[in-house]
């Protein structure tokens, strides 16, 4: 058996012809992470979830992704993860881009099975998530990604995470991954500023169209856009999509002062909100979506906590800010 190299082309799966390296030209602007609804008994509520996605598309959002945190993979079974991605794909197909994500800890075979099904559902890209909290060996991560890329025809995103005592992806590994033709981008959860700038610099050095996206904020994207970032995950956009769209339009038009105003009046108040409640920012979003009539319940499943009545009053007060409803 010949030795595999970093530049090894993808091996076409049985029944498929080899395909050209894909691009991410359709991934530009705000990306809304998919947040699943639950009913009062903590059962996954796909009807409300799809109603919310449809509302997002009608508002002008054109890109979605599922992910470990916002999509609450930590509290979903594998079957529920499949059901969530399939249900959302039924809404986005032909109308918006969907980047579906694998779960932490899935084997190569399980990932390939998911990717094959995602293709049938109408998913556009798959983000292959690695649990960096275990500080995996970079060579092992590369081999994991290489084996998946070799046997799939859907374009793929890599993933990195850094935290205290968690190293995340080094730039050398990113360079190797960029040589795998099926990989077209990276979700960077290791840092919105310095780390993102380092990754974007590697992309420029490689002279390749490779989409590095943070899970961050409008503020960080305003900075990183100057260094090649084209898309950004938006938290505010989960509940106020018009804010994220207004910000992106102003940024593209060069209206920097307007962008700063939107960040100060719309994004920063959310940071103040999180300091006033005991629940996660996701719980705040669930409550807002319930108040907007899109979710039947703001209930969350363990290990996440649901907002208390007193916290709901604080959240409702934020919702009335004029800038959020402009």
């Amino acid at each position: 058996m010949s030795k595999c190299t970093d530049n090894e082309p993808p091996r076409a799966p049985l029944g498929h012809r080899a395909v050209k390296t894909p691009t991410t030209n359709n991934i530009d602007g705000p990306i809304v992470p998919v947040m699943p609804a639950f009913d009062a008994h903590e059962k996954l509520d796909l009807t409300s979830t799809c109603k919310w996605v449809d509302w997002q598309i009608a508002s002008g959002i054109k890109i979605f992704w599922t992910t470990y945190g916002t999509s609450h993979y930590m509290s979903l079974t594998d079957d529920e993860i499949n059901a969530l991605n399939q249900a959302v794909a039924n809404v986005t197909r032909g109308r918006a881009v969907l980047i579906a994500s694998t779960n932490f800890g899935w084997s190569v075979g399980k990932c390939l099975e998911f990717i094959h099904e995602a293709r049938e559902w109408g998913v556009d890209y798959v983000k292959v998530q690695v649990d960096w909290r275990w500080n995996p060996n970079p060579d092992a991560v590369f081999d994991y990604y290489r084996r998946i890329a070799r046997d799939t025809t859907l374009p793929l995103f890599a993933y990195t995470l850094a935290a205290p005592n968690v190293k995340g992806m080094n730039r050398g590994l990113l360079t190797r991954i960029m040589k795998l033709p099926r990989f077209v981008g990276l979700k960077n959860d290791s840092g919105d500023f310095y780390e993102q700038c380092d990754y974007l610099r590697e992309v420029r050095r490689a002279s390749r169209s490779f989409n590095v996206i943070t899970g961050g904020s409008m503020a960080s994207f305003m900075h990183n856009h100057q260094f090649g970032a084209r898309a950004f995950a938006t938290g505010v956009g989960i509940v106020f999509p018009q804010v994220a769209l207004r910000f992106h339009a102003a940024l593209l038009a060069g209206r920097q002062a307007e962008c700063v105003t939107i960040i100060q009046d719309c994004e920063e108040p959310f940071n103040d909100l999180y300091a006033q409640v005991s629940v996660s920012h996701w719980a705040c979003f669930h409550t807002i979506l319930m108040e907007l009539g899109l979710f039947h319940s703001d209930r969350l499943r363990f290990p996440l906590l649901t907002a208390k009545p007193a916290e709901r009053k604080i959240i409702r007060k934020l919702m009335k800010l004029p800038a959020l409803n402009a």
Side-chain angles (χ1 to χ4, degrees), residues 11 102-117 126 128-130 139-152 156 183:
R11 186 176 63 193
T102 65
N103 199 7
F104 287 170
W106 279 1
S107 67
V108 169
K110 175 63 177 176
C111 289
L112 289 172
E113 177 185 318
F114 176 81
I115 294 168
H116 174 74
E117 292 176 342
V126 170
V128 184
Q129 300 188 133
V130 169
D139 288 338
V141 174
F142 176 77
D143 186 62
Y144 179 72
Y145 278 154
R146 180 189 60 78
R147 290 162 65 198
I148 292 171
R150 183 183 64 187
D151 288 323
T152 182
L156 306 172
F183 276 90

Side-chain angles (χ1 to χ4, degrees), residues 132-208:
W132 286 91
R133 293 173 298 182
W134 292 96
N135 286 317
N137 179 279
D139 288 338
V141 174
F142 176 77
D143 186 62
Y144 179 72
Y145 278 154
R146 180 189 60 78
R147 290 162 65 198
I148 292 171
R150 183 183 64 187
D151 288 323
T152 182
T153 56
L154 266 185
L156 306 172
F157 274 74
Y159 176 78
T160 184
L161 168 71
N165 302 316
V166 179
K167 298 177 182 178
M169 183 182 296
N170 60 44
R171 298 197 305 272
L173 176 56
L174 175 62
T175 299
R176 297 173 71 190
I177 291 172
M178 282 194 288
K179 294 177 182 178
L180 296 173
R182 300 311 302 162
F183 276 90
V184 297
L186 168 73
K187 183 190 178 184
N188 166 29
D189 275 341
S190 64
D192 294 346
F193 289 96
Y194 296 111
E195 294 84 356
Q196 179 73 350
C197 282
D198 283 345
Y199 291 140
L200 291 171
R201 184 165 65 252
E202 289 302 308
V203 172
R204 292 196 303 273
R205 287 173 176 171
S207 299
R208 182 178 165 191

Side-chain angles (χ1 to χ4, degrees), residues 19-57:
V19 294
K20 296 180 179 179
T21 301
T23 66
T24 57
N25 294 334
N26 57 348
I27 300 180
D28 191 283
I31 300 175
V32 169
V34 173
M35 174 171 284
F38 298 92
D39 66 18
H41 303 287
E42 298 187 8
K43 181 180 178 181
L44 188 62
D45 181 359
L46 293 178
T47 300
S48 292
T49 304
C50 290
K51 178 181 178 181
W52 165 73
V53 173
D54 186 69
W55 171 77
Q56 286 276 347
I57 295 173

Side-chain angles (χ1 to χ4, degrees), residues 5 10 47 58 62 81 100 169 286 317 319:
T5 67
T47 300
K62 296 300 181 185
I81 289 172
M169 183 182 296
H286 275 262
K317 185 177 180 180
M319 292 176 64

